[in-house]
Amino acid sequence: MTARARVLLFAVGAAGVAVLFVAAFRGLPEFGGPVHPYAGRAVHQAVGQGTQNVVASVTFDQRGFDTLGEELILLAAAVSAVVVLHVVRREEEDDGTAHRHGPAEVSDALRIAGTLLLPVTLVAGVYIVAHGHQSPGGGFQGGVVLGTAVHLLYLAGDYPALQRLRPLPAFETAEAVAAALFTAIVLYAAGWAAAGRVPALNGVVGAEVGCALVLLLAKFFEQALLVREPAGEKK
């Protein structure tokens, strides 16, 4: 695509967004006014459909398309990081330099704490995802806990075990599948009761966010933990 075609495509898209943006703002109540109809309607809708967590109802039911956009942004960020850092890694491997992961040096207290906290944190992440429609939390928060909990093994100084625990091709596939399921539920499951749709969306969001964070951290770790040596001196 030529530069002129890219500019034209951007101009058309920007014009469409501007029209929708202005139309949306024209329908809003006066800023700072005493009447806030959205709040009352959102609570009434959530309670009427059986979702105890009004925030989860707004996020996954009443404004599901907004959440879909946010999830796709995270997916794009993870894919971009994987692609960019993979190219950097390949360029470094082609420059005649040998690479290996440096040894981990952590205290015994940190090693024990990381090992003991790993299963507890994983259970807490699953609980947050599973109960997001009933209590504070949800898929995104639980996914963050799950994605970062895996890397407690890094704090424990066992990077090889971390690599075995998170095979990247499997997480890449799981992230793509979770994003596709979220899109399908948002687009085609409008007939579900809210109490059934929100837990399902919580689950797939938790999987997508957790896998995305695992991929991001894995690629950054690959760059940060490599020890570079002149060719011929690899141990």
Side-chain angles (χ1 to χ4, degrees), residues 19-53:
V19 171
L20 295 175
F21 193 78
V22 172
F25 265 79
R26 286 177 60 87
L28 292 176
E30 183 180 356
F31 181 75
V35 180
H36 302 281
Y38 184 81
R41 293 173 183 174
V43 174
H44 177 75
Q45 183 76 6
V47 174
Q49 293 185 339
T51 304
Q52 296 91 332
N53 187 348

CSV table of all heavy atoms in Angstrom, one decimal, residues 19-53:
chain,number,residue,atom,x,y,z
A,19,VAL,N,-17.6,11.5,13.3
A,19,VAL,CA,-19.0,11.6,13.2
A,19,VAL,C,-19.7,10.8,14.3
A,19,VAL,O,-20.6,11.3,15.0
A,19,VAL,CB,-19.5,11.0,11.8
A,19,VAL,CG1,-21.0,10.9,11.8
A,19,VAL,CG2,-19.0,11.9,10.7
A,20,LEU,N,-19.3,9.6,14.6
A,20,LEU,CA,-19.8,8.8,15.7
A,20,LEU,C,-19.6,9.5,17.0
A,20,LEU,O,-20.4,9.4,17.9
A,20,LEU,CB,-19.3,7.4,15.6
A,20,LEU,CG,-19.6,6.5,14.4
A,20,LEU,CD1,-18.9,5.2,14.5
A,20,LEU,CD2,-21.1,6.3,14.3
A,21,PHE,N,-18.4,10.0,17.2
A,21,PHE,CA,-18.0,10.7,18.5
A,21,PHE,C,-18.9,11.8,18.7
A,21,PHE,O,-19.4,12.0,19.9
A,21,PHE,CB,-16.5,11.1,18.4
A,21,PHE,CG,-15.9,11.5,19.7
A,21,PHE,CD1,-15.5,10.6,20.6
A,21,PHE,CD2,-15.8,12.9,20.0
A,21,PHE,CE1,-15.0,10.9,21.8
A,21,PHE,CE2,-15.2,13.2,21.2
A,21,PHE,CZ,-14.8,12.3,22.1
A,22,VAL,N,-19.1,12.7,17.7
A,22,VAL,CA,-20.0,13.9,17.9
A,22,VAL,C,-21.4,13.4,18.2
A,22,VAL,O,-22.1,14.0,19.0
A,22,VAL,CB,-19.9,14.8,16.7
A,22,VAL,CG1,-20.9,15.9,16.7
A,22,VAL,CG2,-18.5,15.4,16.5
A,23,ALA,N,-21.9,12.4,17.4
A,23,ALA,CA,-23.3,12.0,17.6
A,23,ALA,C,-23.5,11.4,19.0
A,23,ALA,O,-24.5,11.7,19.6
A,23,ALA,CB,-23.6,10.9,16.6
A,24,ALA,N,-22.5,10.7,19.5
A,24,ALA,CA,-22.6,10.2,20.9
A,24,ALA,C,-22.6,11.3,21.9
A,24,ALA,O,-23.4,11.2,22.9
A,24,ALA,CB,-21.4,9.2,21.1
A,25,PHE,N,-21.8,12.3,21.8
A,25,PHE,CA,-21.8,13.3,22.8
A,25,PHE,C,-23.0,14.2,22.7
A,25,PHE,O,-23.4,14.8,23.8
A,25,PHE,CB,-20.5,14.2,22.5
A,25,PHE,CG,-19.4,13.8,23.4
A,25,PHE,CD1,-18.6,12.7,23.0
A,25,PHE,CD2,-19.0,14.5,24.5
A,25,PHE,CE1,-17.5,12.3,23.8
A,25,PHE,CE2,-18.0,14.1,25.3
A,25,PHE,CZ,-17.2,13.0,24.9
A,26,ARG,N,-23.6,14.3,21.6
A,26,ARG,CA,-24.9,15.2,21.5
A,26,ARG,C,-26.0,14.5,22.3
A,26,ARG,O,-26.9,15.2,22.7
A,26,ARG,CB,-25.3,15.3,20.0
A,26,ARG,CG,-24.4,16.3,19.2
A,26,ARG,CD,-24.8,16.3,17.8
A,26,ARG,NE,-26.2,16.8,17.7
A,26,ARG,CZ,-26.6,18.0,17.6
A,26,ARG,NH1,-25.7,19.0,17.6
A,26,ARG,NH2,-27.9,18.3,17.4
A,27,GLY,N,-25.9,13.2,22.5
A,27,GLY,CA,-27.0,12.6,23.3
A,27,GLY,C,-26.8,12.5,24.7
A,27,GLY,O,-27.6,11.9,25.5
A,28,LEU,N,-25.6,13.0,25.2
A,28,LEU,CA,-25.3,12.9,26.6
A,28,LEU,C,-26.0,13.9,27.4
A,28,LEU,O,-26.3,15.0,26.9
A,28,LEU,CB,-23.8,13.0,26.8
A,28,LEU,CG,-22.9,11.9,26.3
A,28,LEU,CD1,-21.4,12.3,26.5
A,28,LEU,CD2,-23.2,10.6,27.1
A,29,PRO,N,-26.4,13.7,28.7
A,29,PRO,CA,-26.9,14.7,29.5
A,29,PRO,C,-25.9,15.8,29.8
A,29,PRO,O,-24.7,15.6,29.6
A,29,PRO,CB,-27.3,14.0,30.8
A,29,PRO,CG,-26.4,12.8,30.9
A,29,PRO,CD,-26.2,12.4,29.4
A,30,GLU,N,-26.4,16.9,30.3
A,30,GLU,CA,-25.5,18.1,30.5
A,30,GLU,C,-24.4,17.7,31.6
A,30,GLU,O,-24.7,17.1,32.6
A,30,GLU,CB,-26.3,19.2,31.0
A,30,GLU,CG,-25.5,20.5,31.3
A,30,GLU,CD,-26.3,21.7,31.8
A,30,GLU,OE1,-27.5,21.5,31.9
A,30,GLU,OE2,-25.7,22.7,32.1
A,31,PHE,N,-23.2,18.1,31.3
A,31,PHE,CA,-22.1,17.8,32.2
A,31,PHE,C,-22.2,18.4,33.5
A,31,PHE,O,-22.5,19.6,33.6
A,31,PHE,CB,-20.7,18.2,31.6
A,31,PHE,CG,-19.5,17.9,32.4
A,31,PHE,CD1,-19.1,16.6,32.5
A,31,PHE,CD2,-18.9,18.9,33.1
A,31,PHE,CE1,-18.0,16.3,33.3
A,31,PHE,CE2,-17.8,18.6,33.9
A,31,PHE,CZ,-17.3,17.3,34.0
A,32,GLY,N,-22.1,17.7,34.6
A,32,GLY,CA,-22.2,18.2,35.9
A,32,GLY,C,-23.6,18.4,36.4
A,32,GLY,O,-23.9,18.9,37.5
A,33,GLY,N,-24.6,17.9,35.6
A,33,GLY,CA,-26.0,18.1,36.0
A,33,GLY,C,-26.4,17.1,37.1
A,33,GLY,O,-25.7,16.1,37.4
A,34,PRO,N,-27.5,17.4,37.8
A,34,PRO,CA,-28.0,16.5,38.9
A,34,PRO,C,-28.6,15.2,38.4
A,34,PRO,O,-28.7,14.3,39.3
A,34,PRO,CB,-29.0,17.4,39.6
A,34,PRO,CG,-29.6,18.3,38.5
A,34,PRO,CD,-28.5,18.5,37.6
A,35,VAL,N,-29.0,15.1,37.2
A,35,VAL,CA,-29.6,13.9,36.7
A,35,VAL,C,-28.6,13.0,36.0
A,35,VAL,O,-27.9,13.4,35.1
A,35,VAL,CB,-30.8,14.2,35.7
A,35,VAL,CG1,-31.4,12.9,35.2
A,35,VAL,CG2,-31.8,15.1,36.4
A,36,HIS,N,-28.5,11.8,36.4
A,36,HIS,CA,-27.6,10.8,35.8
A,36,HIS,C,-28.4,9.5,35.5
A,36,HIS,O,-28.4,8.5,36.2
A,36,HIS,CB,-26.4,10.4,36.8
A,36,HIS,CG,-25.6,11.6,37.2
A,36,HIS,ND1,-24.7,12.2,36.4
A,36,HIS,CD2,-25.7,12.4,38.3
A,36,HIS,CE1,-24.1,13.2,37.0
A,36,HIS,NE2,-24.7,13.4,38.2
A,37,PRO,N,-29.1,9.5,34.4
A,37,PRO,CA,-30.0,8.4,34.1
A,37,PRO,C,-29.2,7.1,33.8
A,37,PRO,O,-29.8,6.0,34.1
A,37,PRO,CB,-30.7,8.9,32.8
A,37,PRO,CG,-29.8,9.9,32.2
A,37,PRO,CD,-29.1,10.6,33.3
A,38,TYR,N,-28.0,7.2,33.3
A,38,TYR,CA,-27.3,5.9,33.0
A,38,TYR,C,-27.1,5.1,34.3
A,38,TYR,O,-27.2,3.8,34.3
A,38,TYR,CB,-26.0,6.2,32.3
A,38,TYR,CG,-25.2,5.0,31.9
A,38,TYR,CD1,-25.6,4.3,30.7
A,38,TYR,CD2,-24.2,4.4,32.7
A,38,TYR,CE1,-24.9,3.2,30.3
A,38,TYR,CE2,-23.6,3.3,32.3
A,38,TYR,CZ,-23.9,2.7,31.1
A,38,TYR,OH,-23.3,1.5,30.7
A,39,ALA,N,-26.7,5.7,35.4
A,39,ALA,CA,-26.4,5.0,36.6
A,39,ALA,C,-27.6,4.2,37.1
A,39,ALA,O,-27.6,3.0,37.4
A,39,ALA,CB,-25.9,5.9,37.7
A,40,GLY,N,-28.8,4.9,37.1
A,40,GLY,CA,-30.0,4.3,37.6
A,40,GLY,C,-30.4,3.1,36.7
A,40,GLY,O,-30.8,2.0,37.1
A,41,ARG,N,-30.3,3.3,35.4
A,41,ARG,CA,-30.7,2.3,34.4
A,41,ARG,C,-29.7,1.1,34.5
A,41,ARG,O,-30.2,-0.1,34.3
A,41,ARG,CB,-30.7,2.8,33.0
A,41,ARG,CG,-31.8,3.9,32.8
A,41,ARG,CD,-31.7,4.6,31.4
A,41,ARG,NE,-32.7,5.6,31.3
A,41,ARG,CZ,-32.7,6.4,30.2
A,41,ARG,NH1,-31.8,6.4,29.3
A,41,ARG,NH2,-33.7,7.4,30.2
A,42,ALA,N,-28.4,1.3,34.7
A,42,ALA,CA,-27.5,0.2,34.7
A,42,ALA,C,-27.7,-0.7,35.9
A,42,ALA,O,-27.7,-1.9,35.8
A,42,ALA,CB,-26.1,0.8,34.7
A,43,VAL,N,-28.0,-0.1,37.1
A,43,VAL,CA,-28.2,-0.8,38.3
A,43,VAL,C,-29.5,-1.6,38.1
A,43,VAL,O,-29.6,-2.8,38.5
A,43,VAL,CB,-28.3,0.1,39.5
A,43,VAL,CG1,-28.7,-0.7,40.7
A,43,VAL,CG2,-26.9,0.7,39.7
A,44,HIS,N,-30.6,-1.0,37.6
A,44,HIS,CA,-31.9,-1.7,37.5
A,44,HIS,C,-31.7,-2.8,36.5
A,44,HIS,O,-32.3,-3.9,36.7
A,44,HIS,CB,-32.9,-0.7,36.9
A,44,HIS,CG,-34.2,-1.3,36.7
A,44,HIS,ND1,-35.1,-1.6,37.7
A,44,HIS,CD2,-34.8,-1.6,35.5
A,44,HIS,CE1,-36.2,-2.1,37.2
A,44,HIS,NE2,-36.1,-2.1,35.8
A,45,GLN,N,-31.0,-2.6,35.4
A,45,GLN,CA,-30.8,-3.7,34.4
A,45,GLN,C,-30.1,-4.9,35.0
A,45,GLN,O,-30.4,-6.0,34.8
A,45,GLN,CB,-30.1,-3.1,33.2
A,45,GLN,CG,-29.9,-4.1,32.0
A,45,GLN,CD,-31.2,-4.3,31.2
A,45,GLN,OE1,-32.2,-3.6,31.5
A,45,GLN,NE2,-31.1,-5.3,30.3
A,46,ALA,N,-29.0,-4.6,35.7
A,46,ALA,CA,-28.2,-5.7,36.3
A,46,ALA,C,-29.0,-6.5,37.3
A,46,ALA,O,-29.0,-7.7,37.3
A,46,ALA,CB,-26.9,-5.1,37.0
A,47,VAL,N,-29.7,-5.8,38.2
A,47,VAL,CA,-30.5,-6.5,39.2
A,47,VAL,C,-31.6,-7.3,38.6
A,47,VAL,O,-31.9,-8.4,39.0
A,47,VAL,CB,-31.0,-5.5,40.3
A,47,VAL,CG1,-31.9,-6.2,41.3
A,47,VAL,CG2,-29.8,-4.8,41.0
A,48,GLY,N,-32.2,-6.7,37.6
A,48,GLY,CA,-33.4,-7.3,37.0
A,48,GLY,C,-33.0,-8.6,36.2
A,48,GLY,O,-33.8,-9.5,36.1
A,49,GLN,N,-31.7,-8.7,35.8
A,49,GLN,CA,-31.3,-9.9,35.0
A,49,GLN,C,-30.5,-10.8,35.9
A,49,GLN,O,-30.0,-11.8,35.4
A,49,GLN,CB,-30.4,-9.4,33.8
A,49,GLN,CG,-31.2,-8.7,32.8
A,49,GLN,CD,-30.4,-8.4,31.6
A,49,GLN,OE1,-29.2,-8.4,31.6
A,49,GLN,NE2,-31.1,-8.1,30.5
A,50,GLY,N,-30.4,-10.6,37.2
A,50,GLY,CA,-29.8,-11.5,38.1
A,50,GLY,C,-28.3,-11.5,38.3
A,50,GLY,O,-27.7,-12.5,38.8
A,51,THR,N,-27.6,-10.4,37.9
A,51,THR,CA,-26.2,-10.3,38.0
A,51,THR,C,-25.9,-9.5,39.3
A,51,THR,O,-26.2,-8.3,39.3
A,51,THR,CB,-25.5,-9.6,36.8
A,51,THR,OG1,-25.9,-10.3,35.6
A,51,THR,CG2,-24.0,-9.6,37.0
A,52,GLN,N,-25.3,-10.1,40.3
A,52,GLN,CA,-25.1,-9.4,41.6
A,52,GLN,C,-24.1,-8.3,41.5
A,52,GLN,O,-24.2,-7.3,42.2
A,52,GLN,CB,-24.7,-10.5,42.7
A,52,GLN,CG,-25.8,-11.5,43.0
A,52,GLN,CD,-25.7,-12.8,42.1
A,52,GLN,OE1,-25.2,-12.7,41.0
A,52,GLN,NE2,-26.1,-13.9,42.6
A,53,ASN,N,-23.1,-8.5,40.7
A,53,ASN,CA,-22.0,-7.5,40.5
A,53,ASN,C,-22.4,-6.6,39.4
A,53,ASN,O,-22.3,-6.9,38.2
A,53,ASN,CB,-20.7,-8.2,40.2
A,53,ASN,CG,-19.5,-7.3,40.2
A,53,ASN,OD1,-19.7,-6.1,40.2
A,53,ASN,ND2,-18.3,-7.8,40.2
